[in-house]
Structures are given as structure tokens and as C-alpha cells.
């Protein structure tokens, strides 16, 4: 992630700051006894609600679910499928992250689906622990030529 132009917390607008705050708060609920890496994600729904979640690990490591997908699943259970943005932030047990925590490939795929179901472009905000290295991007940039519901034959 070097060579990127990063934003600082103060560069974000109020709504982005609020979303990142919610993601940071959600790191407290991380169930991450194996990696000790606490991740929080917060979704801003089309209707203005915030749905936050954390990563949930499992003794069968591959059954772990990331914070981003947890948030999407939680939002779906509440009836939300259209989003404006997602914010992601993480911290290690002893140290903060040096670089913004970017969504993994599986999360990008699920975010791509959510983005195509959403009205406008879905913003993806990801930050380092100190909130002085922040990227504001969108899912089309993070997953170019992605496959989504609009690509299914009908
Ligand atoms: N993780 C997330 O929750 N989101 C990310 O964007 C990166 C990775 C989690 C999965 C696992 O619990 C831990 O972080 C270490 O990979």
C-alpha cells in the first residue's frame, strides 16, 4: 500500500467520520482469539442507518467471517440491501496497523453484489488504526471487471 495518497480523519466529511467511528467501536466486539486482529466494519444504508459488525473467527480457521461480510449479513437480516458506503478499520493486540485495512477478495465480491443492488456508487473507506492513513475508494475500483447480478443471463 505504499505510494498511495492517504487522507487523514480530518479530511473526511462528517458522515464519513461517523461511519468510521462506528467501525472503530465495532472492533471491540471482534471475536478474534486466533489472529488477535480486531476488525470493525460499518455500513451506511441508503436510508441513513448504520449497521456495524466485527470479524468472528473459528477454531476451524477457514470458517472465519470477516467484519465486512458480517456487516452485510447483519444488514440483510435487518432488511437493508442498499448502501451508500462501508468503513473498515482494524487493530492488532499490541500494535496498530501501519496501513489501511483493505477488504479481502471474498469481501470485495460480496460488496460488489451489494453495490450493484445499491442506487449509486458504494464508497469503501478503509483506515489504519491511527486514522491518519485513510483511503476513500469504491468497489468498482477495488474489484475491476467484477462479476455481479447485472452479469447474469436473464
Ligand atoms: N479480516 C477482516 O475481518 N476484514 C479484513 O478486511 C481483513 C481480514 C479478519 C479475518 C480474520 O479474523 C483476521 O482479520 C485476520 O485475517
Amino acid at each position: 500500500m505504499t505510494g498511495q495518497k492517504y487522507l487523514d480523519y480530518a479530511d473526511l466529511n462528517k458522515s464519513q467520520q461517523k461511519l468510521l467511528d462506528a467501525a472503530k467501536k465495532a472492533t471491540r466486539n471482534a471475536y478474534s482469539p486466533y489472529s488477535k486482529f480486531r476488525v470493525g466494519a460499518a455500513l451506511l444504508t441508503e436510508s441513513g442507518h448504520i449497521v456495524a459488525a466485527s470479524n468472528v473467527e473459528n477454531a476451524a480457521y477457514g470458517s472465519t467471517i470477516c467484519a465486512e461480510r458480517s456487516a452485510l449479513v447483519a444488514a440483510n437480516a435487518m432488511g437493508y440491501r442498499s448502501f451508500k458506503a462501508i468503513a473498515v478499520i482494524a487493530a492488532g493486540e499490541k500494535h496498530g496497523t501501519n496501513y489501511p485495512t483493505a477488504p479481502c477478495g471474498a469481501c470485495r465480491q460480496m460488496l460488489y453484489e451489494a453495490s450493484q443492488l445499491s442506487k449509486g456508487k458504494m464508497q469503501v473507506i478503509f483506515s489504519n488504526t491511527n486514522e491518519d492513513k485513510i483511503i476513500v475508494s469504491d468497489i468498482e475500483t477495488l474489484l475491476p471487471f467484477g462479476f455481479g447480478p447485472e452479469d447474469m443471463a436473464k
Side-chain angles (χ1 to χ4, degrees):
M1 293 295 293
T2 46
Q4 268 278 357
K5 195 190 162 287
Y6 296 120
L7 299 176
D8 192 86
Y9 185 83
D11 298 321
L12 302 180
N13 65 36
K14 283 275 169 299
S15 152
Q16 292 170 326
Q17 289 181 345
K18 202 176 156 195
L19 199 62
L20 188 56
D21 293 348
K24 191 161 201 172
K25 197 173 165 196
T27 61
R28 294 188 212 153
N29 289 330
Y31 174 66
S32 50
Y34 307 107
S35 72
K36 316 262 192 228
F37 193 59
R38 295 177 170 273
V39 189
L43 282 162
L44 177 63
T45 72
E46 197 60 54
S47 48
H49 293 89
I50 290 180
V51 181
S54 62
N55 52 331
V56 180
E57 298 188 343
N58 194 275
Y61 294 178
S63 298
T64 291
I65 182 164
C66 294
E68 298 91 322
R69 277 174 291 147
S70 295
L72 285 168
V73 169
N76 183 72
M78 295 173 190
Y80 301 124
R81 280 198 200 130
S82 188
F83 308 103
K84 286 181 180 158
I86 187 167
V88 187
I89 189 164
E93 196 178 20
K94 293 193 181 104
H95 305 284
T97 54
N98 291 321
Y99 300 105
T101 297
C104 80
C107 290
R108 289 180 198 207
Q109 183 62 36
M110 265 192 78
L111 286 167
Y112 194 80
E113 181 97 11
S115 186
Q116 287 204 340
L117 297 182
S118 301
K119 274 190 190 138
K121 260 194 179 176
M122 201 177 151
Q123 217 171 59
V124 183
I125 303 158
F126 48 111
S127 178
N128 66 332
T129 310
N130 278 344
E131 301 180 318
D132 55 6
K133 282 182 190 156
I134 302 173
I135 301 279
V136 177
S137 187
D138 55 72
I139 193 59
E140 283 77 14
T141 305
L142 295 176
L143 191 66
F145 300 105
F147 178 79
E150 286 170 16
D151 301 304
M152 291 291 286
K154 290 204 179 87

